[in-house]
């Protein structure tokens, strides 16, 4: 069985290992990992795998890629799983030598929304697929009922600012506004509570990174603010 390396074993790293472990052997590099489910290896040992996922927080991604670039790699393809795409692709292309394959990916689910019984989506883009791993990995995820959406990093970030960005932003706004369950919840309100629970279960660091590392989210936030003012204006002053 082929071995896949995973750098970073946080909340999503665990989900990724769970998905891949039925098709591959898994080895982990994460100084904070002390479990026994998967073997823990040094960075150099993990990078001997032909397929290596980097599953670290977005703000740690550049330094991680820099560390990877200091090690001589052979037949290696690096895949990111960041929730933004232009930034990590820029970093991988900048630091990784030309003999290293690069695939960009963003699983459109997280630790709280993943289920093997759901139809899920994953964005993938073969940035530099010199070892032909893109098709293999695509089929691996498709066989797990995860459909693949191929798009460029810029296309992804534009769409993600509208979909994921708004969801996380509004979830945080509603939570900070003190929105909570009542005795007379409607179905629509229960769905809003679900958004709060799902988004606020992630760390503030992830939320901030989603806002700061996607170049299109600032415009999205401005449009939300403008929309609030337009709706308030329609209500008018109480007479």
């Amino acid at each position: 069985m082929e071995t896949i390396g995973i750098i970073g074993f946080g909340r999503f790293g665990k989900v990724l290992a769970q998905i891949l472990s039925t098709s591959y052997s898994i080895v982990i590099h994460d100084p904070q990992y002390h479990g026994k489910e998967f073997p823990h290896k040094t960075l150099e040992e993990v990078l001997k795998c032909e397929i290596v996922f980097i599953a670290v927080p977005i703000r740690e991604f550049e330094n991680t890629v820099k560390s990877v670039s200091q090690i001589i790699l052979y037949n290696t393809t690096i895949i990111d799983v960041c929730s933004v795409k232009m930034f990590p692709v820029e970093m991988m292309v900048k630091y990784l030598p030309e003999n290293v394959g690069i695939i960009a990916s963003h699983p459109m689910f997280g630790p709280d929304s993943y289920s093997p019984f759901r139809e899920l989506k994953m964005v993938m883009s073969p940035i530099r697929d010199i070892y032909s791993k893109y098709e293999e990995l695509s089929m691996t995820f498709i066989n797990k009922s995860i459909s693949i959406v191929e798009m460029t990093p810029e296309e992804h970030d534009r769409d993600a600012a509208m979909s994921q960005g708004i969801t996380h932003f509004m979830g945080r706004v509603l939570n900070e506004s003190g929105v909570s369950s009542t005795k007379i919840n409607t179905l629509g309100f229960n769905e809003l509570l679900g958004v709060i629970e799902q988004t606020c279960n992630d760390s503030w660091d992830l939320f901030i990174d989603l806002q700061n590392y996607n170049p299109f989210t600032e415009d999205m936030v401005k449009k939300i603010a403008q929309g609030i003012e337009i709706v308030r204006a329609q209500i008018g002053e109480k007479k």
Side-chain angles (χ1 to χ4, degrees):
M1 184 180 287
E2 185 177 358
T3 301
I4 279 182
I6 299 177
I7 300 172
F9 203 61
R11 295 183 73 224
F12 188 76
K14 293 179 174 66
V15 173
L16 184 62
Q18 177 186 344
I19 294 170
L20 295 171
S21 61
T22 57
S23 303
Y24 300 89
S25 295
I26 304 296
V27 293
I28 305 297
H29 174 71
D30 187 326
Q32 304 302 315
Y33 175 59
H34 303 291
K36 297 181 179 179
E37 184 177 3
F38 303 105
H40 183 265
K41 302 291 184 178
T42 65
L43 182 60
E44 290 82 358
E45 289 172 328
V46 165
L47 289 169
K48 291 179 181 178
C49 299
E50 292 188 358
I51 298 174
V52 178
F53 283 84
I54 298 180
V56 301
I58 301 170
R59 63 184 60 193
E60 297 177 14
F61 190 82
E62 181 175 6
N63 284 336
T64 301
V65 173
K66 284 182 180 179
S67 297
V68 169
S69 70
Q70 301 304 307
I71 299 169
I72 298 176
L73 304 177
Y74 301 96
N75 304 319
T76 308
T77 297
I78 302 293
I79 305 101
D80 85 286
V81 291
C82 292
S83 299
V84 297
K85 290 274 63 74
M86 293 174 67
F87 170 74
V89 167
E90 180 184 354
M91 294 302 101
M92 289 189 287
V93 171
K94 178 179 179 180
Y95 293 112
L96 296 178
E98 293 185 358
N99 69 309
V100 176
I102 297 173
I103 296 175
S105 80
H106 176 201
M108 304 305 297
F109 51 87
D112 300 313
S113 57
Y114 171 72
S115 168
F117 307 107
R118 288 181 177 175
E119 289 289 336
L120 303 170
K121 294 180 180 180
M122 182 169 181
V123 172
M124 292 185 69
S125 182
I127 304 300
R128 195 162 71 199
D129 188 29
I130 54 180
Y131 300 114
S132 302
K133 296 298 184 181
Y134 181 81
E135 189 66 27
E136 173 188 341
L137 288 169
S138 295
M139 290 309 303
T140 296
F141 289 112
I142 289 171
N143 290 336
K144 303 295 183 182
S145 298
I146 300 171
S147 61
I148 301 300
V149 180
E150 185 173 320
M151 59 199 319
T152 67
E154 181 174 348
E155 289 172 334
H156 168 276
D157 283 2
R158 286 186 183 276
D159 284 357
M162 182 61 65
S163 57
Q164 186 183 40
I166 284 179
T167 302
H168 279 260
F169 188 85
M170 294 308 300
R172 292 288 177 177
V173 169
L174 292 169
N175 187 59
E176 293 300 311
S177 302
V179 174
S180 60
S181 185
T182 73
K183 296 179 180 179
I184 54 172
N185 289 5
T186 61
L187 291 177
F189 185 65
N190 282 333
E191 291 179 356
L192 283 179
L193 293 176
V195 169
I196 296 172
E197 180 179 2
Q198 180 181 332
T199 56
C200 294
N201 204 27
D202 289 323
S203 68
W204 270 103
D205 285 347
L206 174 60
F207 171 70
I208 292 169
D209 287 351
L210 286 174
Q211 305 302 312
N212 288 337
Y213 285 92
N214 186 329
F216 303 106
T217 54
E218 183 177 358
D219 186 57
M220 177 272 297
V221 172
K222 289 179 180 178
K223 288 180 179 179
I224 290 176
Q226 291 170 355
I228 291 173
E229 292 304 314
I230 291 171
V231 172
R232 291 183 63 184
Q234 292 297 319
I235 297 173
E237 295 183 4
K238 186 175 180 180
K239 296 181 180 180

